Amino acid sequence: MKIITSIFELNKEIKDYKNVGFVPTMGGIHAGHKSLIKASQNKKSKTIVSIFVNPTQFNKRDDFKKYPRNIRKDIAILKKMNVEYLFKPSAREIYKFKAKKFNLKKKDKILCAKFRTGHFEGVLNVMNRLMTIVKSKDLYMGEKDYQQLYLIKKFLSKKFKARINSCPTVRVNKNIALSTRNKLLKTNSLKKAAEIALFLKKIKYKSKLHGPKLASNLSDYKKKLENKYNIKIDYLEFRDEKNLKLNNFKSNYRLFVAYNIDNVRLIDNF
Ligand code: AMP
């Protein structure tokens, strides 16, 4: 595996991106990331993974500082998976050129955008830069971060004529979604998070049977979960898969959640 840290090196190394799939990450490689890499390897002859913990998407300095990093372990995993390229730039390298800034309109300030001011502006900024640098036409991204996927498709896929290939969420024992942030959780909180995921999965299932009635009970479920697990839920909402509008149970939808446990913010959708 070639480990590349500069744009210059990258351009020298990869001249033709036609058969290169791109998997952007913030590291702490887990089975969720691995599924994206495998999806790329199934379709493309080469894969480039980036690891960059992007400072501009963290709306809290402390969250950025404590974000789990383990580059040695990541490199070992990627090598074992026969990934051809790892792009591991510094913040200086990524932000050394001028690029468009993104502002979300009111209608996009929903779900996480409502609770994490500036977060998606930071995500779009860095993805715009990464897609300018890594000229792959096939990106592999997870449904775990559904709103991110939605916004990148909306704002960037046309500009770069790139396909954003979405991959299903990988879970532990069919409940808690794998996430680098899980490493920050105490064992007891991990257990709670797994129970919460199972509960929400059931609600989603029930909603298929009694849609509108269940939607009107959602705030009760929210309170119940908050009290039982001593967590703070930012949102628990059914939204349309296609446009993230509040759902009317007529088209495909998902149940979106974000909550804080042990001072760690977890997001998921079912
Ligand atoms: P991150 O390193 O958390 O920024 O995630 C990098 C990519 O991996 C994003 O496209 C995420 O949506 C995706 N991802 C994170 N967790 C999972 C998971 N449990 N299953 C599938 N994809 C995931």
Side-chain angles (χ1 to χ4, degrees):
M1 181 173 76
K2 288 238 159 76
I3 301 176
I4 300 171
T5 55
S6 76
I7 301 170
F8 177 74
E9 258 179 284
L10 190 77
N11 285 335
K12 217 168 64 178
E13 190 62 45
I14 314 177
K15 295 214 164 55
D16 180 9
Y17 276 97
K18 234 185 264 155
N19 280 316
V20 182
F22 178 30
V23 181
T25 83
M26 297 208 297
I29 302 297
H30 52 64
H33 298 122
K34 282 184 181 176
S35 73
L36 310 185
I37 294 168
K38 282 181 200 144
S40 167
Q41 288 175 329
N42 281 341
K43 284 270 151 65
K44 313 294 282 187
S45 52
K46 289 187 174 169
T47 294
I48 175 163
V49 175
S50 67
I51 295 183
F52 179 60
V53 185
N54 172 37
T56 67
Q57 72 188 68
F58 286 82
N59 49 331
K60 289 183 184 153
R61 180 87 197 140
D62 191 45
D63 188 25
F64 172 66
K65 271 204 207 148
K66 74 177 188 188
Y67 194 82
R69 297 160 168 90
N70 193 341
I71 191 68
R72 269 218 213 145
K73 193 172 162 205
D74 288 349
I75 290 174
I77 297 172
L78 298 178
K79 277 187 178 165
K80 205 167 164 202
M81 291 189 77
N82 297 317
V83 167
E84 283 79 11
Y85 306 107
L86 166 62
F87 182 47
K88 195 180 76 60
S90 63
R92 181 181 283 186
E93 188 70 2
I94 289 285
Y95 285 99
K96 75 179 184 186
F97 57 95
K98 275 214 176 96
K100 178 181 156 87
K101 284 223 164 82
F102 294 84
N103 284 310
L104 292 193
K105 296 228 167 77
K106 203 173 157 211
K107 72 171 182 219
D108 282 322
K109 291 197 174 165
I110 54 167
L111 301 171
C112 283
K114 190 168 149 191
F115 290 88
R116 296 185 74 189
T117 311
H119 166 64
F120 287 118
E121 285 82 350
V123 168
L124 289 167
N125 186 345
V126 78
M127 282 306 298
N128 181 45
R129 287 167 184 274
L130 282 170
M131 289 168 83
T132 304
I133 299 166
V134 181
K135 300 170 188 71
S136 168
K137 297 293 177 206
D138 271 291
L139 280 76
Y140 293 82
M141 305 191 76
E143 289 175 358
K144 152 86 171 41
D145 301 281
Y146 200 90
Q147 192 175 13
Q148 167 175 287
L149 194 67
Y150 168 81
L151 290 170
I152 289 171
K153 276 184 187 165
K154 178 167 167 173
F155 286 99
L156 298 175
S157 64
K158 235 195 226 150
K159 173 178 174 189
F160 291 98
K161 296 192 180 71
R163 235 189 326 247
I164 312 295
N165 300 284
S166 57
C167 304
T169 303
V170 177
R171 299 176 180 280
V172 185
N173 299 331
K174 296 192 179 159
N175 50 51
I176 185 174
L178 280 155
S179 163
T180 303
R181 279 200 169 87
N182 292 356
K183 296 191 178 82
L184 299 170
L185 294 175
K186 297 185 194 112
T187 318
N188 189 37
S189 304
L190 258 178
K191 218 176 113 202
K192 281 189 193 174
E195 284 180 28
I196 294 166
L198 211 59
F199 182 83
L200 295 176
K201 228 168 124 178
K202 279 187 195 152
I203 294 191
K204 170 72 194 288
Y205 178 74
K206 276 192 196 167
S207 75
K208 288 183 187 157
L209 308 171
H210 331 274
K213 184 164 176 277
L214 208 117
S216 61
N217 290 339
L218 218 47
S219 61
D220 290 342
Y221 286 122
K222 183 170 174 255
K223 273 187 216 132
K224 208 168 135 183
L225 283 171
E226 287 186 318
N227 293 334
K228 181 166 179 195
Y229 294 105
N230 193 21
I231 54 172
K232 162 80 182 60
I233 299 181
D234 282 348
Y235 58 77
L236 179 63
E237 290 172 355
F238 287 112
R239 286 190 176 261
D240 202 284
E241 259 186 9
K242 235 191 199 150
N243 51 26
L244 292 187
K245 282 191 180 142
L246 279 168
N247 181 262
N248 56 12
F249 298 97
K250 288 196 176 108
S251 39
N252 287 346
Y253 62 95
R254 288 177 185 239
L255 177 59
F256 291 88
V257 69
Y259 64 93
N260 283 280
I261 184 164
D262 269 0
N263 255 331
V264 179
R265 192 170 188 278
L266 299 182
I267 61 167
D268 206 342
N269 62 86
F270 301 87

